[in-house]
Amino acid sequence: MKLGAFSISLSVKDLQKSKDFYEKLGFTTMAGTEAQNYLIMKNGSTLIGLFQAMFDGNMLTFNPGWNENAQNLESFDDVREIQRRLKENGVEIGKEADETTSGPEHIYLKDPDGNMILIDQHR
């Protein structure tokens, strides 16, 4: 499966403090704004999303159709196809994609230890 760009999405208490901390590690803001309560930060090909008051807990995040620079990939597996394949393999989906639609959509699932995984397609 082609899951696209990978990042860790962190639920943070204070967006500015978290931004300052990750900047000290060499990250720069790639997307989002403090007014939107989220920032996507990048260091090389490593991505970290900082989200204040948007969700509980941390998540592994994949973006089908994008590379680590949020640029469109020519070839990618649509989130609905990923969902079908996961279900065929016996993976339980927490929030399913509407398979009658196309374009942007997302699914949630958990690994065996309860870690949340978001597969979030933006195109």
Side-chain angles (χ1 to χ4, degrees):
M1 275 181 267
K2 296 178 186 173
L3 297 176
F6 170 76
S7 63
I8 183 86
S9 295
L10 302 176
S11 179
V12 301
K13 294 176 185 172
D14 185 316
L15 188 59
Q16 185 60 52
K17 282 184 182 178
S18 294
K19 176 182 184 254
D20 293 345
F21 175 82
Y22 284 101
E23 284 177 339
K24 291 174 185 172
L25 294 178
F27 284 83
T28 57
T29 300
M30 175 183 159
T33 67
E34 292 174 44
Q36 295 172 304
N37 289 330
Y38 84 93
L39 298 169
I40 306 301
M41 302 197 69
K42 185 172 183 184
N43 181 334
S45 62
T46 302
L47 299 172
I48 296 175
L50 305 176
F51 297 86
Q52 183 175 318
M54 294 181 82
F55 54 84
D56 293 328
N58 301 325
M59 291 186 283
L60 304 177
T61 303
F62 297 92
N63 299 112
W66 276 4
N67 68 15
E68 69 274 4
N69 295 311
Q71 295 173 335
N72 292 342
L73 296 170
E74 273 188 46
S75 173
F76 69 98
D77 292 345
D78 186 89
V79 68
R80 294 153 196 84
E81 176 59 27
I82 293 169
Q83 174 178 278
R84 280 191 287 277
R85 289 165 67 189
L86 290 171
K87 289 170 74 174
E88 286 171 4
N89 289 327
V91 175
E92 185 177 327
I93 308 294
K95 186 275 179 193
E96 293 190 16
D98 181 350
E99 294 192 20
T100 66
T101 64
S102 62
E105 181 60 282
H106 67 278
I107 63 174
Y108 290 108
L109 55 135
K110 291 183 179 179
D111 74 8
D113 294 303
N115 297 304
M116 186 69 76
I117 299 170
L118 169 64
I119 302 176
D120 191 14
Q121 180 176 308
H122 296 282
R123 55 181 270 224

